[in-house]
């Protein structure tokens, strides 16, 4: 054997993937926890509450049956797909046949990534709202496509930007990525907006993906519309749903894609090469979740709403500008000017080091997120109150050090 280290060389596409920012914040959090520190985690939208009991019981029951140990039906069990179809009929008045227009995925993130691989390649352009949940950008980047960002603004402005970009690009964008209710900002869409997007997609010849991961996490009586409610939507696009947030099944990895048959066929084809679908026991448990767990969703959402209110009140009392979200699992807040000058990543590090509170820096969602923080509603009310207290103390400490000229940036 030679003493020379073997040369490991990544593919060129890896150069377009910056280090995953949330991975870095998570690493600091885990290091602190290993040292025995109690970090309050408002960083990641990773639910701490359990999945509904009957769902877990069904999983266990099916998991001991050897029949479920074989490769599952790729693309999803017939009964689960039928349940998803029924759900769309009952909740959105959308008729799906439950076969060619539904596919189950290993969480929506996997589905979005592989659909982009099926639809996009070098020379194609995708429009993505900015700021963005990272996979909305990087699924297209990994597929080799160009990404153009469209600033999230009023619906009218957003549509105008898409129109202008479509008219000025040759060839025009192949795909528009949407995400309503939006992560991280909590921006909502109206049915009229979706209808306009469909009209534009037909006129200007682009496909649409709507990531509907937060479909059921809505507050104050607000009901989020589905993209598929728009007339003609099935001709131009698909929508992704997830079990991760509605049913606290984030670690189970179960999601789905519904809508345009040809797009779904493309996703099925590419997934056929990459994976064998989802463990059957998880799929059967997913049917129980969809059939029997509406009440659990309402209870969970009521918890999130209370946490949202505690967090909003606390931050407002601290003098922060807060917009109360009507959906999603997060608060998207502007960092006060005095601290935003250090940048959102550094501010997040200061909060981690000085306050033992993990938060997601806005810059992690693209440069348009700079100056903001995203706070997840995953800790209980008491811990949220404690986090606010610790953040207030840390900011007072920064103020004192700045006044005395002794402030220096914490290092990760
Ligand atoms: C907008 C959005 N889409 C997709 C996901 C990932 O969902 P899943 O667990 O179904 O892959 C998340 C997770 O935080 C999200 O915020």
């Amino acid at each position: 054997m030679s003493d020379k280290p073997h040369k490991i060389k990544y593919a060129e596409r890896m150069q377009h993937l910056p280090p995953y920012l949330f991975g870095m914040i998570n690493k600091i959090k885990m290091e602190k926890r290993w040292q025995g520190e109690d970090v309050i985690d408002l960083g990641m939208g990773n639910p701490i509450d359990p999945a509904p009991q009957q769902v877990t019981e069904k999983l266990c029951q099916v998991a001991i049956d050897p029949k479920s140990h074989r490769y599952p039906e790729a693309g999803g069990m017939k009964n689960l797909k039928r349940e998803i179809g029924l759900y769309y009929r009952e909740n959105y008045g959308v008729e799906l046949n439950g076969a060619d227009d539904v596919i189950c995925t290993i969480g929506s993130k996997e589905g979005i990534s592989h659909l982009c691989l099926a639809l996009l390649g070098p020379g194609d352009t995708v429009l993505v709202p900015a700021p963005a949940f990272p996979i909305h950008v990087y699924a297209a980047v990994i597929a080799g496509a160009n990404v153009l960002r469209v600033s999230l603004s009023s619906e009218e402005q957003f549509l105008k930007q898409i129109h202008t970009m479509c008219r000025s690009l040759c060839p025009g964008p192949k795909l528009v990525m949407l995400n309503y209710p939006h992560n991280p900002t909590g921006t909502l869409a109206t049915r009229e907006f979706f209808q306009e997007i469909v009209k534009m997609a037909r006129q200007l010849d682009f496909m649409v993906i709507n990531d509907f991961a937060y479909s059921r996490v809505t507050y104050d009586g607000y009901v989020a519309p589905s993209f598929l409610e728009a007339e003609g939507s099935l001709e131009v696009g698909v929508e992704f749903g997830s079990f991760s947030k509605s049913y606290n099944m984030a670690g189970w990895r179960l999601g789905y894609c519904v809508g345009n048959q040809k797009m779904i066929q493309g996703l099925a084809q590419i997934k056929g090469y990459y994976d064998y679908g989802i463990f059957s026991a998880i799929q059967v448990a997913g049917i129980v979740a969809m059939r029997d767990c509406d009440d659990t969703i309402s209870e969970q959402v009521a918890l999130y709403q209370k946490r949202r209110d505690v967090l909003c009140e606390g931050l407002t009392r601290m003098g922060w500008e807060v917009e109360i979200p009507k959906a999603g699992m997060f608060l998207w807040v502007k960092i006060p000017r005095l601290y935003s000058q250090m940048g959102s990543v550094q501010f997040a590090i200061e909060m981690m080091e000085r306050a033992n509170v993990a938060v997601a820096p806005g810059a992690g969602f693209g440069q348009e997120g700079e100056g903001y923080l995203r706070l997840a509603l995953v800790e209980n009310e008491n811990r949220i109150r404690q986090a606010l207290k610790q953040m207030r103390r840390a900011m007072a400490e920064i103020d004192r050090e700045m006044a005395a000229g002794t402030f220096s940036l914490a290092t990760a």
Side-chain angles (χ1 to χ4, degrees), residues 44-46 105-112 133 135-136 179-184 211-214 240-245 249-251 253-256 329-330 365 374:
M44 206 177 161
N46 192 0
T105 59
I106 310 170
S108 54
K109 192 170 168 177
E110 177 272 320
I112 292 168
F133 180 60
I135 200 61
H136 296 156
N179 168 214
Y180 295 101
H182 185 252
N183 173 16
D211 179 352
F212 203 25
Y214 297 97
F240 279 90
S242 173
F243 285 68
S244 299
K245 316 294 176 174
M249 289 165 67
R253 311 311 300 134
L254 185 59
Y256 53 85
M329 279 169 59
F330 310 100
F365 304 93
R374 193 196 70 176

Side-chain angles (χ1 to χ4, degrees), residues 6-64:
H6 194 69
K7 203 170 182 183
I8 305 294
K9 208 165 168 224
Y10 291 150
E12 194 272 338
R13 76 173 66 83
M14 292 290 277
Q15 289 169 21
H16 305 286
L17 300 181
Y20 203 60
L21 196 63
F22 304 119
M24 188 263 279
I25 301 279
N26 256 341
K27 190 164 162 265
I28 311 174
K29 180 182 75 190
M30 294 318 292
E31 279 165 5
K32 286 200 136 221
R33 283 186 171 165
W34 283 326
Q35 285 160 15
E37 297 202 41
D38 176 19
V39 178
I40 304 177
D41 190 0
L42 309 182
M44 206 177 161
N46 192 0
I48 53 164
D49 303 294
Q53 193 180 337
Q54 62 268 50
V55 175
T56 310
E57 280 169 4
K58 180 55 83 178
L59 170 81
C60 297
Q61 194 189 331
V62 181
I64 54 174

Side-chain angles (χ1 to χ4, degrees), residues 41 53 66 72 90 152 161 193 197 213 233 249 254 261-262 272 289 316 331 337 349 373 385:
D41 190 0
Q53 193 180 337
E90 279 165 23
L152 261 185
Q161 288 180 74
F193 169 81
I197 287 279
S233 56
M249 289 165 67
L254 185 59
Q261 293 189 9
K262 187 127 190 246
T316 307
L331 218 61
R337 231 171 86 80
I349 293 172
L373 284 188
R385 286 196 186 89

Side-chain angles (χ1 to χ4, degrees), residues 85-150:
L86 283 175
Y87 170 77
Y88 264 78
R89 178 194 290 166
E90 279 165 23
N91 289 275
Y92 308 115
V94 175
E95 288 298 331
L96 300 171
N97 67 26
D100 316 325
D101 45 18
V102 180
I103 184 169
C104 297
T105 59
I106 310 170
S108 54
K109 192 170 168 177
E110 177 272 320
I112 292 168
S113 314
H114 283 140
L115 182 58
C116 284
L117 218 45
L119 301 178
L120 304 168
D124 294 330
T125 300
V126 187
L127 304 187
V128 180
F133 180 60
I135 200 61
H136 296 156
V137 172
Y138 289 100
V141 169
I142 293 167
N146 307 314
V147 174
L148 292 180
R149 295 164 183 259
V150 188

Side-chain angles (χ1 to χ4, degrees), residues 388-410:
L388 286 162
K389 206 191 280 178
Q390 288 170 201
M391 283 173 72
R392 202 167 50 234
R393 232 183 264 147
M395 285 185 283
E397 187 182 281
I398 295 173
D399 293 349
R400 277 196 305 276
E401 289 175 15
M402 279 181 168
T406 57
F407 174 72
S408 64
L409 299 175

